Amino acid sequence: MSVRLTPYLVLPGTAGEAIAFYEKALDAQVLFKQTFGEMPASPDYPLADEQKGLIAHAMLQVGESQLMFSDSDSGKPVQQGDHVTICITTKDASKSKQFFEALKEGGTVIMDLHEAFFSPAYGQVKDKFGVTFHLFTEGAAMN
């Protein structure tokens, strides 16, 4: 049996912007995207006009993995940061570097991409949306 873990990011009205950013930064493809306004109307949950353009559910394909997104519709603040972290694993150090450089744009480097005993290229970055990524390249480091 195969099990895949898919991180789900709930953002405070910035999911559409995040989706566009990750499409570029991670070479991602949108598999599905639906706004609250595109969902069937429910008299139990009427939407304000400003909510209709928010993302109700989206899924991106990133290599062999997937990311899910939505905007918060509850009006409550969304805790950003380390409540969701994502490890991006590649076998190509140049691809890890490409992802790292793209994700740090507007973000904060936690640990520079470097050779470590467990990886030829490993680093950590918090992107401009407050999401922490670990970039991990498979393989033994050169000593």
Side-chain angles (χ1 to χ4, degrees):
M1 180 171 92
S2 175
V3 176
R4 176 180 23 227
L5 301 178
T6 304
Y8 198 112
L9 308 177
V10 179
L11 299 171
T14 57
E17 182 184 350
I19 290 165
F21 176 75
Y22 295 132
E23 279 184 281
K24 182 178 175 187
L26 302 177
D27 299 327
Q29 293 183 329
V30 176
L31 298 178
F32 178 81
K33 182 168 65 170
Q34 183 178 46
T35 65
F36 287 107
E38 294 170 330
M39 294 174 59
S42 170
D44 296 331
Y45 300 100
L47 293 174
D49 286 341
E50 60 270 9
Q51 290 175 298
K52 292 180 181 178
L54 296 176
I55 302 298
H57 181 69
M59 183 176 284
L60 298 182
Q61 186 75 36
V62 183
E64 296 177 13
S65 302
Q66 296 174 337
L67 281 173
M68 294 181 190
F69 293 85
S70 72
D71 282 311
S72 172
D73 68 338
S74 66
K76 296 179 184 175
V78 176
Q79 179 185 359
Q80 290 189 356
D82 296 332
H83 66 286
V84 175
T85 63
I86 301 166
C87 181
I88 300 173
T89 302
T90 70
K91 293 181 180 183
D92 180 350
S94 64
K95 197 65 163 173
S96 292
K97 181 178 171 74
Q98 175 191 340
F99 290 159
F100 186 85
E101 293 298 321
L103 291 168
K104 77 177 190 180
E105 202 172 293
T108 304
V109 173
I110 297 168
M111 181 183 294
D112 282 319
L113 193 67
H114 67 287
E115 183 175 294
F117 72 91
F118 55 86
S119 173
Y122 175 79
Q124 296 177 24
V125 62
K126 185 175 286 198
D127 74 8
K128 65 183 181 180
F129 298 102
V131 178
T132 300
F133 288 87
H134 303 253
L135 284 295
F136 171 74
T137 308
E138 291 179 335
M142 305 290 192
N143 289 332

